Amino acid sequence: MSSPLFSSKLRKTRSYSNSGSTNLKTLLNKNEQSCDTSPKVKRAVLESLKSRSWNRYPEAESSLLNELVAAYAGVAADQIALGAGAASLLGNLLNYFAINGWQIIFPEPSYAYFNHHCKAYNIPYVSWVLDGELQYDIENLPELTEKTVLFIVSPNNPVGNTIPEDKLRFLLKKYPKTRIILDAVYQEYGKNNFTPLINEYENLLVLRSFSKAFPAAGLRLGYLCGQARVISQYKKLVLPYSINHFSQSYAIKLLSTPDFLETELLNIEKTMVLRTQLYNKLLNEFNASQLRVFPSEGNFLLIQFASKGYFNDVTIELDKCNIEVLNTSNHKKLEYSIRVSIGSENEMKLFYQCIKQTFKNGTNDDH
């Protein structure tokens, strides 16, 4: 028998998916927005889409879309590169640096795609493990060299922690030859916007997305920000025509409609209020012998239960309540934990009542 086409490491790697169940009514597992794009905007997008020639490839680089995205991000049009989702941009970067022999460092626990992609492509990497409070600690940072690329996620999924600006600036200044790539797809929900720092530091790239702050996860559009001469080189790694007609029509409509943008900014503020409310309720209702909820600057909260029994009982109860959350227990340091997306006010009430009812019923913390 001939050798298998794919390596044993790839065959052992689980598929990267978080599809959830279509039978569950309350989906709080993917950090999507709960409310869909309005019918008015959808109709306008469809009209725009109908006017395009579907038999032709989309524009390789849409100048209008580039300008609109750049204006939204507060950078120049030649300082961004578009991609079919932030993960595709990350994949390009990981592959390029790995092929060229760079040391790759990323935080743990953090975005599961890093670990998955590196295992699937047999890419060696080093972990920057968060401290006991799940914060970035420079004392724990592996040694950086002139051929190191350091990925930092801030706000960090699934934890919700961020890197302080003074620490980020310290790293950028001390290691000017090290490439630092900041995954900031949850930036709109945090306190800091680090994108303008690209004008100060050539070794900084900032990754952004439309999947979290807008009701546009189906849009599949991400963008990378950096100094113009760095971005011009990165664009050589991108497949042409990767932003399809639908994505271009959708994004152009969203970004050129002031009312839509104003509404979404209000929705972001509402999400942040609901996040704080849920955090405070969990903090005040439960003690450390039951669960721990972590502060977050994303559109989600991480909850870690004190025992396997509590974790099992809560996940069973959530299933009974038709609520889907993300099980994050396979992450380093996150045993018996879940990540819940911040949804609508009613969804947050339902989630909280479900957690509260589980402990009210009594849990078996021995199993």
Side-chain angles (χ1 to χ4, degrees):
M1 181 181 293
S2 61
S3 299
L5 179 61
F6 296 106
S7 69
S8 60
K9 182 171 286 190
L10 180 62
R11 296 198 302 274
K12 292 176 183 177
T13 300
R14 292 182 179 181
S15 296
Y16 185 79
S17 64
N18 178 19
S19 58
S21 171
T22 55
N23 297 322
L24 295 169
K25 297 179 181 178
T26 306
L27 298 176
L28 302 175
N29 60 328
K30 298 182 194 172
N31 297 341
E32 304 155 313
Q33 286 205 9
S34 292
C35 296
D36 197 1
T37 303
S38 71
K40 179 181 178 181
V41 172
K42 284 185 175 181
R43 286 193 294 269
V45 172
L46 289 174
E47 287 302 314
S48 172
L49 195 57
K50 286 194 293 185
S51 69
R52 289 175 175 260
S53 299
W54 293 12
N55 62 316
R56 302 297 182 188
Y57 287 111
E59 290 181 74
E61 287 192 45
S62 170
S63 57
L64 176 57
L65 181 55
N66 254 47
E67 290 169 4
L68 289 170
V69 174
Y72 171 76
V75 299
D78 61 358
Q79 290 181 309
I80 64 165
L82 303 177
S88 71
L89 294 162
L90 274 180
N92 281 341
L93 291 164
L94 286 167
N95 291 345
Y96 173 79
F97 286 114
I99 289 170
N100 287 278
W102 285 59
Q103 179 193 43
I104 292 172
I105 299 176
F106 55 77
E108 285 195 283
S110 189
Y111 183 28
Y113 180 77
F114 287 114
N115 185 280
H116 169 82
H117 187 92
C118 288
K119 285 184 176 179
Y121 284 85
N122 200 22
I123 296 173
Y125 65 89
V126 179
S127 298
W128 180 12
V129 181
L130 303 185
D131 66 16
E133 295 299 310
L134 299 185
Q135 299 295 323
Y136 288 109
D137 185 352
I138 292 180
E139 296 298 320
N140 296 339
L141 180 63
E143 183 179 356
L144 305 181
T145 71
E146 292 187 359
K147 210 170 183 183
T148 295
V149 56
L150 172 63
F151 290 87
I152 301 173
V153 187
S154 184
N156 183 23
N157 168 35
V159 179
N161 66 302
T162 60
I163 187 166
E165 183 174 345
D166 60 340
K167 287 187 178 180
L168 179 59
R169 285 183 177 274
F170 170 80
L171 292 172
L172 289 163
K173 289 178 181 178
K174 185 173 181 180
Y175 304 100
K177 298 297 183 181
T178 295
R179 286 291 174 194
I180 295 180
I181 299 172
L182 185 74
D183 181 339
V185 299
Y186 295 95
Q187 179 260 304
E188 284 87 350
Y189 297 99
K191 299 174 184 176
N192 294 315
N193 176 12
F194 293 133
T195 307
L197 294 184
I198 63 170
N199 294 308
E200 299 181 46
Y201 303 100
E202 188 181 35
N203 57 330
L204 176 66
L205 290 169
V206 178
L207 183 68
R208 303 280 298 272
S209 172
F210 288 97
S211 297
K212 311 305 177 186
F214 296 90
L219 173 59
R220 305 311 301 138
L221 182 65
Y223 56 104
L224 190 67
C225 305
Q227 292 193 7
R229 64 179 181 176
V230 178
I231 291 298
S232 66
Q233 296 304 311
Y234 172 78
K235 287 182 177 180
K236 298 174 183 178
L237 304 176
V238 179
L239 281 173
Y241 320 118
S242 59
I243 312 300
N244 62 47
H245 286 304
F246 169 72
S247 295
Q248 291 195 25
S249 296
Y250 192 178
I252 288 171
K253 183 61 183 176
L254 299 190
L255 293 171
S256 59
T257 307
D259 290 348
F260 177 84
L261 290 175
E262 290 174 10
T263 299
E264 288 316 305
L265 289 175
L266 291 174
N267 286 337
I268 290 168
E269 291 178 7
K270 289 178 184 177
T271 297
M272 294 167 70
V273 169
L274 290 171
R275 179 188 67 196
T276 301
Q277 290 175 347
L278 179 59
Y279 173 81
N280 288 333
K281 283 182 179 180
L282 293 170
L283 195 65
N284 295 328
E285 179 71 25
F286 303 100
N287 58 52
S289 67
Q290 296 170 309
L291 62 82
R292 181 181 181 185
V293 57
F294 292 85
S296 172
E297 291 193 29
N299 63 339
F300 55 85
L301 286 174
L302 177 70
I303 304 168
Q304 189 168 34
F305 298 94
S307 72
K308 183 179 181 181
Y310 288 156
F311 171 80
N312 287 341
D313 289 337
V314 167
T315 52
I316 289 171
E317 190 66 25
L318 287 170
D319 188 57
K320 290 179 182 177
C321 294
N322 289 331
I323 299 174
E324 179 94 4
V325 297
L326 182 67
N327 180 352
T328 51
S329 299
N330 60 330
H331 285 265
K332 187 176 292 186
K333 292 194 171 190
L334 300 188
E335 189 175 32
Y336 311 140
S337 69
I338 61 172
R339 187 200 68 194
V340 56
S341 305
I342 304 301
S344 66
E345 184 174 1
N346 287 336
E347 288 172 335
M348 293 299 93
K349 286 180 180 178
L350 180 61
F351 173 81
Y352 174 71
Q353 289 301 324
C354 184
I355 299 290
K356 189 174 180 180
Q357 188 63 41
T358 304
F359 283 90
K360 184 178 179 180
N361 292 341
T363 60
N364 180 7
D365 60 357
D366 295 325
H367 65 267

